[in-house]
Amino acid sequence: MATKDEAVISVGLEGGTGVVAEVGKIDSAFDKVKGHLKDGLGSAIKGIGSGLASAASDGLRAAGVFQAINLANAVEDAKKLDFQTAQLGITAGITGARLREGFEGLEKTTLQSAPALAAFATSLSDTTFDAKSATEAVGGLADVALATGQDLNALGGRGKSLHDGLGVIGDTTAELGRLRDIAEQVKVIGGPKAFYAEIASLGPQLETVSTATDQSKARLEALVGVLSKGLTPGKAREVVAGALSTLQRSAADIKRNTGRDVLDSQGQIIDPTQSLQDLQDLARRKSGGNAEKARRLLSNQFGSDVGTVIARSNFQDVGYLAANSRDQGRTTREADEFRQSDEAKRKQAELERNSGLRGVGNKILDFGSSVR
């Protein structure tokens, strides 16, 4: 029984119909309390009551779990998200409140909680040193995670390679779609999922190539696809990394034999496709047009794997792929299909409940601020 110092709100929350009928008691009870308090404090109390009623009505009614609410956890989650977005916003040049709203808006489509999205963006920004781009990259990476059955946190390396190695700033959707199209046209072993992983692992090597223009970026992506053709994922990573390293080591020799610069003033490879084509042409001339002799010549000079891939690759395909590969929307469609599954809808309902509770937590935090 309540004492004279206590206030009890008795609400029945068994079954959907009962919840609908009873949650109004929460709102009205807090409304009465508001009338007996100072304006600022009363408004804060009223806000908590409204938040609780809204959470019960909108997020928790169907599950019938309102009685299990842990308001302490709700407050901690709200504080955590506020802190994460405030910190990220400082370097991103965006207000924390705007970032929080953005991440909360992405919950249903990414099937990730706002705190998880904020943590992922923070982790990505810590490696790329570009907080604004990191926050904008989340949507495209989340679509890939859903379409390929991966955890979003496993895609941080892709995000870094796209940003640092390929110069992709902001939304990653179109670039990821183009990489998928290249993988499917070339028939990369392991498909787009393996190709994404290869791009991530090649990050340090991709950073040695100049990608100042969209054309140079597209040609580099296409080159990785052409060099990877017919190779297992592990071997493809090894060979592509070796080919790019070879160009840096042999830059002076290639220039001496072709009269063409391999590196720019910053020490980056200007056009790796052209340089590899030059090496192939040189070997074919020295071998009198004999393909096997040219392969042996290149293998003796650069190692069996790298020499063989330079000898056998059709570098004309790079230009075609660069010009004709684009986002076909397949990843987005597959992600949308998964969002319609029962499993995804259950996850969305869970995220809605947690979002409602964070809203209550924010109201309680507002209340705490008003009584100081």
Side-chain angles (χ1 to χ4, degrees):
M1 178 178 294
T3 68
K4 64 180 180 180
D5 297 318
E6 296 174 330
V8 176
I9 304 171
S10 178
V11 180
L13 293 166
E14 294 295 330
T17 303
V19 172
V20 175
E22 295 288 298
V23 290
K25 289 184 179 181
I26 299 174
D27 203 20
S28 61
F30 276 88
D31 200 24
K32 290 177 182 177
V33 174
K34 172 188 174 183
H36 296 284
L37 298 172
K38 295 178 182 178
D39 288 344
L41 184 57
S43 295
I45 283 283
K46 169 60 177 172
I48 297 172
S50 297
L52 287 168
S54 177
S57 179
D58 297 338
L60 304 171
R61 177 176 56 203
V65 296
F66 189 71
Q67 56 268 50
I69 284 177
N70 186 326
L71 291 181
N73 286 347
V75 172
E76 285 305 309
D77 285 348
K79 285 168 62 177
K80 180 181 179 181
L81 182 57
D82 278 353
F83 188 74
Q84 286 175 313
T85 52
Q87 279 197 315
L88 191 59
I90 291 172
T91 50
I94 307 170
T95 65
R98 183 178 169 189
L99 274 180
R100 185 179 68 242
E101 290 173 2
F103 289 135
E104 288 176 335
L106 283 172
E107 284 187 325
K108 287 187 69 174
T109 56
T110 62
L111 301 185
Q112 299 281 333
S113 70
L117 291 172
F120 176 79
T122 298
S123 177
L124 183 55
S125 72
D126 286 344
T127 62
T128 62
F129 305 101
D130 186 347
K132 185 175 186 299
S133 181
T135 62
E136 295 170 351
V138 172
L141 291 167
D143 272 1
V144 169
L146 293 179
T148 59
Q150 294 176 278
D151 185 273
L152 176 61
N153 290 317
L155 302 186
R158 278 83 160 161
K160 176 174 170 54
S161 289
L162 287 172
H163 183 279
D164 294 351
L166 294 172
V168 179
I169 306 301
D171 186 10
T172 56
T173 303
E175 209 68 37
L176 287 164
R178 181 161 67 180
L179 287 171
R180 173 173 180 161
D181 197 28
I182 290 171
E184 291 176 341
Q185 289 193 57
V186 174
K187 294 182 173 55
V188 169
I189 295 176
K193 187 175 179 178
F195 196 50
Y196 291 143
E198 180 181 352
I199 292 294
S201 69
L202 288 171
Q205 287 75 37
L206 298 180
E207 290 182 46
T208 66
V209 181
S210 175
T211 54
T213 66
D214 288 341
Q215 182 184 28
S216 61
K217 185 190 312 176
R219 282 176 64 81
L220 176 57
E221 293 169 351
L223 175 64
V224 175
V226 168
L227 294 179
S228 302
K229 186 174 183 178
L231 301 177
T232 62
K235 180 60 71 175
R237 290 193 290 269
E238 181 183 331
V239 168
V240 175
L244 294 176
S245 297
T246 291
L247 294 181
Q248 284 204 308
R249 290 196 307 269
S250 306
D253 289 338
I254 297 172
K255 181 179 180 180
R256 184 169 52 253
N257 284 287
T258 66
R260 203 187 329 263
D261 284 323
V262 175
L263 306 178
D264 63 17
S265 60
Q266 304 300 315
Q268 289 189 302
I269 303 170
I270 298 170
D271 186 348
T273 301
Q274 182 62 63
S275 296
L276 291 171
Q277 177 75 71
D278 288 343
L279 286 176
Q280 186 186 78
D281 291 343
L282 284 170
R284 286 178 177 177
R285 285 201 299 271
K286 289 181 179 179
S287 62
N290 185 298
E292 179 56 25
K293 286 184 179 179
R295 187 196 66 77
R296 288 201 300 268
L297 184 62
L298 288 165
S299 295
N300 289 337
Q301 189 173 1
F302 304 119
S304 177
D305 290 337
V306 172
T308 296
V309 80
I310 294 174
R312 70 166 174 77
S313 294
N314 182 352
F315 294 109
Q316 300 302 313
D317 289 344
V318 173
Y320 175 84
L321 284 170
N324 294 284
S325 298
R326 57 184 53 82
D327 179 17
Q328 304 290 347
R330 287 187 284 268
T331 298
T332 299
R333 288 194 295 273
E334 288 172 3
D336 284 340
E337 287 174 8
F338 181 75
R339 292 183 187 105
Q340 300 306 312
S341 68
D342 291 340
E343 295 81 4
K345 289 178 179 178
R346 282 193 288 271
K347 182 65 175 179
Q348 288 173 343
E350 175 191 332
L351 291 168
E352 284 186 31
R353 289 194 295 271
N354 291 338
S355 178
L357 288 177
R358 277 200 313 274
V360 175
N362 279 318
K363 295 293 185 182
I364 294 174
L365 290 174
D366 291 342
F367 167 68
S369 299
S370 69
V371 297
R372 287 173 186 162

